[in-house]
Amino acid sequence: MEDPSRGGPAEVAESELTTRHGRFRAIAFREHAGGPEHLALVHGDPAAAGAALVRVHSECLTGDVFGAMRCECGDQLSSALDAVVDAGCGVIVYLRGHEGRGIGLLAKIRTHVLQDGDGLDTVDSALALGLPVDVRDFGAAAAVLRHIGVDRVRLLSNSPAKVEALTGYGIVVTELVPLLEPVTEHNERYLTAKRDRLGHHLPQLDPARFP
């Protein structure tokens, strides 16, 4: 167990994990006692990479597990796993407790009702329920990256805000590596809101191309 004051997780367990995407070192961890349990999947030796290819992925049960098509979360996770394996080394940090940008699963499902019934986007549907748009914290990701020996990353993301968040915890982001999924009739409105309301770089929306 590491001392949290030194910047690492408070509790860690490790094993080997073989997935459809490849072989990883699985690191389950808590940032602090009583906090949520997160998971880092480490492929190869990212500490020796200079700037490791890293995906910091927020939990999305509906997208990651059940393949919901209103978001691109599950597709991004799969693409990131493939990208890390193709690169020969890298890290996927899976942060639990980030459901619905931190508002939780119940609240997220309630926002879906407003999106489908009233035509609100992902931002306004949260605000209509009196909820914050984004309450995620990325300190846990920084803690496990330091534990692995990674402090410089090439970040698999389309979000400049995530770069800013990690930078605030001392992780140097040398490059924002696009993780662009296809636009479909199911996710176009969601992706458009992420671009227009949340500042994500999503050039595939110009023009939107879907079957």
Side-chain angles (χ1 to χ4, degrees):
M1 184 177 297
E2 298 199 11
D3 179 0
S5 68
R6 297 177 62 87
E11 187 176 1
V12 174
E14 300 189 18
S15 72
E16 296 299 316
L17 182 68
T18 300
T19 76
R20 295 185 183 92
H21 301 270
R23 187 172 178 83
F24 298 87
R25 178 162 55 109
I27 304 176
F29 67 99
R30 284 192 180 98
E31 183 186 9
H32 50 77
E37 298 173 330
H38 309 291
L39 184 68
L41 295 181
V42 182
H43 183 74
D45 184 11
L53 190 64
V54 171
R55 168 68 178 171
V56 177
H57 190 88
S58 293
E59 176 183 28
C60 175
L61 181 68
T62 52
D64 299 339
V65 176
F66 298 110
M69 298 179 70
R70 71 167 64 232
C71 69
E72 87 279 40
C73 301
D75 291 337
Q76 284 190 313
L77 180 59
S78 181
S79 295
L81 286 161
D82 287 339
V84 162
V85 171
D86 289 345
C89 68
V91 186
I92 306 293
V93 182
Y94 193 89
L95 296 178
R96 299 180 67 206
H98 276 204
E99 191 75 54
R101 295 189 299 274
I103 63 175
L105 184 59
L106 282 167
K108 185 177 86 168
I109 296 301
R110 290 176 179 135
T111 68
H112 290 175
V113 175
L114 294 177
Q115 291 165 30
D116 295 340
D118 297 342
L120 301 183
D121 65 23
T122 185
V123 172
D124 286 335
S125 57
L127 294 175
L129 292 173
L131 299 170
V133 173
D134 194 337
V135 289
R136 291 173 296 175
D137 183 270
F138 293 94
V144 78
L145 289 171
R146 284 191 290 266
H147 171 76
I148 297 164
V150 171
D151 59 8
R152 297 173 61 85
V153 306
R154 298 169 56 234
L155 188 65
L156 281 161
S157 177
N158 308 315
S159 173
K162 194 174 288 186
V163 175
E164 183 178 349
L166 289 175
T167 300
Y169 282 105
I171 301 298
V172 177
V173 180
T174 65
E175 182 183 358
L176 194 62
V177 180
L179 198 57
L180 306 175
E181 301 301 331
V183 180
T184 72
E185 61 183 304
H186 302 287
N187 67 21
E188 184 189 17
R189 187 172 63 170
Y190 174 73
L191 293 176
T192 299
K194 288 178 74 173
R195 181 193 64 185
D196 296 347
R197 307 294 301 279
L198 301 173
H200 289 225
H201 295 317
L202 296 169
Q204 78 271 38
L205 283 166
D206 301 319
R209 299 173 184 172
F210 52 83

